[in-house]
Amino acid sequence: MSDADTPQRSIFFLSDRTGITAETLGATLLTQFDERSFRQSTLPFINTPEKARSALEYIEHTGRTSGLQPIVFSTTVSEDVREILRDSSALFLDLFDTFVPKLERALETKSEHREGRAHGIADEATYRSRIDAMNYALTHDDGVGESGYDQAQVILVAPSRCGKTPVCIYLAMQHGVYAANYPLTDEDLEGTGLPRALKPYRDKLYGLWIDPERLHHIRSERRRGSSYAALPQVSYELRQAEGLYKRHGLPYAETTNKSIEEIATLIMQDKDIRRRSF
């Protein structure tokens, strides 16, 4: 039997809200196994007994179809919903079942069992700070908005298509960090000094570097056959950029095989930016 014909085990991330926490928990654990053998689905807003029964019917149907026991990662708060889901043939792994009773004993108090605390708007001011950081990242992207660099907590610098924008957006969304980014052009890379717009903000700068073959591939998807995507041009830009980082003592990260989350964590650690979770 080929891999294409091999049944995949159904994995469900189930929650009474968005499912982000369940996805994060489950996906992290599944990285320790062959993820090609899984078929992953998210079931958000399962917050009533009726929705729970409907979800359970679907989950058990996938198990009968594949012949493999489904696995459910759950972060639903409602005891009524969890009671229904526990009564299934699936392997039911619930964050609250696992940890809340132990926390209640340690803290000598009962939990509030309130839905949506993980990704809801628990504090309006905190939520607003994240929106402000997002707006900042979008209005200071790709060298735009240089007059606002004094507000930045970090300014990412690198040649085009090295991943500056998605990292800035992630920093804003996840941690409320004011992150701008500046693309290093040929003119910037021909000289030995920092670009004029960046000189006053040297302490906020952080460089990104990527393998030339990888950047060649990324640029080719956008402008195949152009000098912009040519491997010699890409190699030149990256070589010059790394020289710039080293000459001016700028911290920088090699990002070829790193996720956005890893890159963001490195930046925050190296620049001593306090992590904030919302």
Side-chain angles (χ1 to χ4, degrees):
M1 182 181 291
S2 68
D3 289 343
D5 298 326
T6 302
Q8 291 181 302
R9 187 182 301 275
S10 293
I11 308 293
F12 294 95
F13 306 120
L14 187 148
S15 173
D16 48 28
R17 293 298 291 258
T18 63
I20 294 172
T21 302
E23 287 176 354
T24 302
L25 169 68
T28 299
L29 294 172
L30 292 174
T31 60
Q32 303 304 307
F33 303 92
D34 182 3
E35 296 180 64
R36 292 172 299 178
S37 62
F38 304 138
R39 182 176 179 271
Q40 302 180 30
S41 304
T42 300
L43 303 178
F45 302 109
I46 307 301
N47 50 19
T48 67
E50 293 74 20
K51 290 180 180 180
R53 293 187 188 97
S54 178
L56 183 57
E57 182 178 345
Y58 175 58
I59 290 167
E60 297 204 322
H61 169 73
T62 65
R64 290 192 298 270
T65 301
S66 68
L68 299 170
Q69 181 187 32
I71 297 174
V72 178
F73 292 96
S74 166
T75 56
T76 185
V77 173
S78 168
E79 177 60 29
D80 291 340
V81 169
R82 292 209 306 277
E83 188 64 32
I84 293 168
L85 295 169
R86 290 191 199 102
D87 187 25
S88 74
S89 59
L91 175 61
F92 183 66
L93 304 173
D94 184 84
L95 180 69
F96 291 93
D97 278 348
T98 302
F99 296 109
V100 168
K102 294 180 180 179
L103 284 169
E104 288 178 335
R105 289 195 294 272
L107 299 173
E108 298 182 345
T109 186
K110 287 291 184 182
S111 64
E112 296 181 1
H113 286 76
R114 290 173 59 184
E115 295 180 7
R117 293 296 294 275
H119 296 283
I121 304 178
D123 180 88
E124 184 68 33
T126 301
Y127 181 73
R128 175 52 55 187
S129 73
R130 178 167 60 173
I131 298 301
D132 290 344
M134 271 292 299
N135 287 332
Y136 181 85
L138 294 172
T139 55
H140 295 80
D141 180 47
D142 211 26
V144 176
E146 295 174 5
S147 61
Y149 281 174
D150 58 319
Q151 299 175 55
Q153 292 172 267
V154 63
I155 303 170
L156 302 188
V157 295
S160 171
R161 308 296 288 180
C162 284
K164 301 182 298 299
T165 296
V167 173
C168 284
I169 291 174
Y170 179 86
L171 284 167
M173 287 185 65
Q174 294 298 317
H175 301 291
V177 172
Y178 278 49
N181 74 77
Y182 180 95
L184 293 172
T185 65
D186 282 348
E187 182 180 352
D188 295 326
L189 296 171
E190 287 168 0
T192 59
L194 288 172
R196 179 191 54 78
L198 300 180
K199 286 181 179 179
Y201 309 106
R202 181 185 172 283
D203 291 343
K204 298 183 179 186
L205 304 182
Y206 196 97
L208 300 183
W209 191 93
I210 191 172
D211 178 76
E213 289 283 355
R214 175 64 178 152
L215 184 55
H216 165 63
H217 175 74
I218 292 170
R219 288 188 178 182
S220 293
E221 289 183 340
R222 188 178 185 185
R223 290 166 57 183
R224 186 175 301 278
S226 65
S227 58
Y228 165 79
L231 185 57
Q233 173 65 21
V234 165
S235 299
Y236 164 77
E237 290 182 32
L238 289 168
R239 186 169 59 251
Q240 293 295 101
E242 187 172 27
L244 182 74
Y245 305 153
K246 290 180 176 178
R247 274 195 307 277
H248 296 280
L250 305 183
Y252 69 99
E254 198 282 314
T255 66
T256 308
N257 297 310
K258 291 183 175 66
S259 66
I260 290 173
E261 294 87 347
E262 288 178 294
I263 299 166
T265 300
L266 276 173
I267 292 168
M268 294 180 73
Q269 182 178 39
D270 289 346
K271 300 301 288 183
D272 196 27
I273 299 173
R274 183 172 63 88
R275 293 183 66 127
R276 298 176 63 185
S277 297
F278 296 95

